[in-house]
Amino acid sequence: MFLANEPKEPWFNHLPKETIDEILKQSGQVFEFKYPKSQVQSFQLVGESVISSTDHWGTKPSWCPDLLTNTKSEKLIASPFWGKFTKNRILVPVHSFVEWQAQKTGKKHKFEITFKNPNTFFAGIWGEEDGQRWITILTQVANEKMKTIHNSGDNKHRQPVVMPDHFQDAWLDPKVTNPKDITDLLYQFAPDETIEVDHNREETLFG
């Protein structure tokens, strides 16, 4: 969500006036948690204009038994399947995301990871299946702090790809097609860019 009194990204100024007016009607930042199969907002460059779209989060290819909500960035170029969507690059506005940390006791704690920058965007891609558009979020190897939080499961030690301000125009531009130019945009957010809250922290005598 954008606020009228906050600086906009360069690509934001290419949005149609009606879209900008609708976004700026909001008087504050309102966020809601999204889940697989949710409708998620994203931005995409079409011609000279950036369009806002709301699409299904996740896809289920015929060869996969599971809903795929994330795409490993390492496979974006290398995979015959994901490679078909290399030009379909989007930005997904985000405030925070959730990961589960496995404890020595066997329990799992819910961590909310919040970005200090209020105008943060995940890097994603879109596709279409049976006439319905879908999106997925790109992931990469986690930074050292995130590795300690996302420490279990089949995809442990991963984190979403955040697209920094100075790369966003290039990421949205479908004319950027050189594989190395694309992979060079895959920025790993640093430990000091986020604030973490353990929602299952158990108080002890010592705090």
Side-chain angles (χ1 to χ4, degrees):
M1 195 65 66
F2 298 89
L3 298 181
N5 61 350
E6 289 183 338
K8 307 298 182 299
E9 311 305 330
W11 56 267
F12 180 81
N13 297 318
H14 294 286
L15 284 168
K17 183 179 184 300
E18 295 77 13
T19 302
I20 295 176
D21 290 344
E22 184 63 29
I23 292 172
L24 297 184
K25 281 180 183 178
Q26 307 298 326
S27 59
Q29 288 183 305
V30 179
F31 301 97
E32 61 178 9
F33 278 106
K34 299 291 186 178
Y35 302 91
K37 300 182 181 181
S38 295
Q39 295 293 306
V40 174
Q41 183 189 27
S42 66
F43 296 98
Q44 170 193 354
L45 185 65
V46 177
E48 297 299 318
S49 299
V50 173
I51 64 169
S52 173
S53 182
T54 303
D55 302 301
H56 190 81
W57 182 19
T59 181
K60 193 175 182 298
S62 59
W63 48 264
C64 183
D66 303 314
L67 184 72
L68 302 178
T69 55
N70 300 322
T71 301
K72 288 186 176 181
S73 57
E74 298 90 339
K75 293 185 177 181
L76 183 58
I77 304 297
S79 163
F81 177 77
W82 295 117
K84 295 182 294 185
F85 309 107
T86 303
K87 291 185 178 180
N88 296 3
R89 301 190 298 270
I90 56 174
L91 292 171
V92 179
V94 63
H95 170 258
S96 63
F97 67 101
V98 167
E99 292 291 5
W100 293 86
Q101 183 189 65
Q103 308 295 304
K104 293 180 180 179
T105 60
K107 294 182 179 179
K108 286 192 174 183
H109 283 201
K110 178 181 178 181
F111 273 76
E112 183 176 1
I113 298 95
T114 301
F115 292 98
K116 295 178 182 179
N117 177 4
N119 292 329
T120 295
F121 297 86
F122 284 158
I125 56 175
W126 69 271
E128 194 168 358
E129 186 175 3
D130 297 329
Q132 182 181 51
R133 270 180 54 125
W134 52 261
I135 69 167
T136 67
I137 305 299
L138 294 185
T139 67
Q140 62 188 178
V141 174
N143 64 46
E144 291 306 310
K145 182 167 67 173
M146 280 301 304
K147 284 181 181 178
T148 67
I149 296 174
H150 192 193
N151 62 352
S152 65
D154 293 337
N155 290 307
K156 66 180 180 181
H157 300 162
R158 305 286 297 179
Q159 68 182 33
V161 175
V162 165
M163 195 54 55
D165 296 354
H166 55 287
F167 287 163
Q168 289 173 4
D169 279 338
W171 179 255
L172 287 180
D173 189 349
K175 294 191 296 293
V176 177
T177 58
N178 183 283
K180 186 176 187 305
D181 291 341
I182 294 172
T183 56
D184 282 350
L185 300 174
L186 299 174
Y187 169 78
Q188 183 192 59
F189 69 81
D192 62 357
E193 295 182 55
T194 58
I195 298 171
E196 295 71 38
V197 175
D198 181 353
H199 287 286
N200 299 114
R201 182 175 179 272
E202 299 172 6
E203 293 292 337
T204 70
L205 181 64
F206 305 101

